[in-house]
Amino acid sequence: MHRSAPRLTRILACAAVPVMLVAAGCSSDDSAPSASASPSSPAAGPSAAPSSAAPTPSVAPAKFAKLPDACKAVTAKTVEELVPEVKTKAGTPGKSSDVASRGSCSWNGLEDKGVKGSDYRWLDVSLLRFDSEQALGSGEKRAQDKYAAKVAEVKATEGAIDVRTSSAPGIGNEARAVSYSLKKTGETFRYGVIVARTENAVITVSYNGTGYAGADTPAAGELMEGTVKAVKDAVAAVAAANK
C-alpha cells in the first residue's frame, strides 16, 4: 500500500503535462497580430506619403513702370491757357525721393486787369505709381485703393463749403470730380479737383482761383473745364512715358 502512493503521484504528474502544453499553445494562438501586419497601420496606408504645399499665386505685373516729369505732364499750351501771367512757365516741382513712383508740379499767376481787379489762378498736378508686390498685391489693386482714399480726402478738405462731386467719364480707367469753395486770406477761392486712375497710376489735378480788388471769383464750371483739360494731358503723359 505504501509503495503504490508514490507511483500514483508520478502518474498524475505525467498526465498533467499534455494539458499544460495545450494551454500554452492556446495562449500563443490568441495573441494579437503584429503591427506590421495590421492594414490600419500608418506605415501601410497611402497617407504616410508627405503632402506638398500649394504654390503661392503670383500677382499680375504692373502695366506702368515709370512716371513722366510732373512739370511736363501738363502741356505748355494748357498751362498758358489756365494760368495767365504764369510766374514760372516750366512749373515748380515738388520734392520727391523717388521720381519713378511719385512726383508733383505747380504753376500760379496773377493777371492784373487794372480797375477791374486781378485774377489769381493756381494749377497743381500730382502723380503716384504703384508696383506689384507679393505681400501688398498688384499695382492696379493698390492704385484702386489709393484712388478711393484720395477722393475721400479731397471731399473732406478742412473748411471746404458747397462741396459737390460727380463722375468724370472718359478719363483713365476711373475718375471723380470734386468742386468746392474755401475762404482764405479774406477771399473766397473756388476749386475744381479731379482724381483719376489709369492702370497702376493715380493722378490728382487741382485748379483754383479767386478775384482780387473787385474781380469776380471764377465760376465752378469754368474751373472744372480747365481741370479736365489738365488731367487729360497728365493721363496721356503717363501712357507716353511707358511706350
Side-chain angles (χ1 to χ4, degrees), residues 75-158:
T75 66
K77 179 181 179 181
T78 298
V79 171
E80 183 178 357
E81 180 181 342
L82 301 186
V83 190
E85 302 298 327
V86 60
K87 287 183 179 180
T88 307
K89 292 184 178 181
T92 303
K95 294 182 179 180
S96 174
S97 58
D98 183 5
V99 294
S101 296
R102 63 183 64 86
S104 63
C105 191
S106 62
W107 300 259
N108 68 87
L110 181 67
E111 183 181 21
D112 187 352
K113 293 183 176 181
V115 295
K116 293 183 178 181
S118 301
D119 288 329
Y120 176 78
R121 297 293 183 271
W122 174 288
L123 176 66
D124 181 271
V125 61
S126 170
L127 309 174
L128 293 172
R129 187 188 64 83
F130 298 88
D131 284 318
S132 293
E133 297 184 26
Q134 192 67 44
L136 300 175
S138 69
E140 183 173 5
K141 178 60 170 63
R142 296 177 66 197
Q144 289 173 345
D145 293 342
K146 182 62 178 180
Y147 164 80
K150 189 64 179 179
V151 171
E153 178 187 323
V154 174
K155 291 168 62 177
T157 298
E158 185 177 359

Side-chain angles (χ1 to χ4, degrees), residues 217-242:
T217 300
E222 173 193 339
L223 285 173
M224 192 56 72
E225 286 179 6
T227 309
V228 169
K229 289 182 181 179
V231 77
K232 284 185 174 180
D233 281 357
V235 169
V238 171
N242 287 273

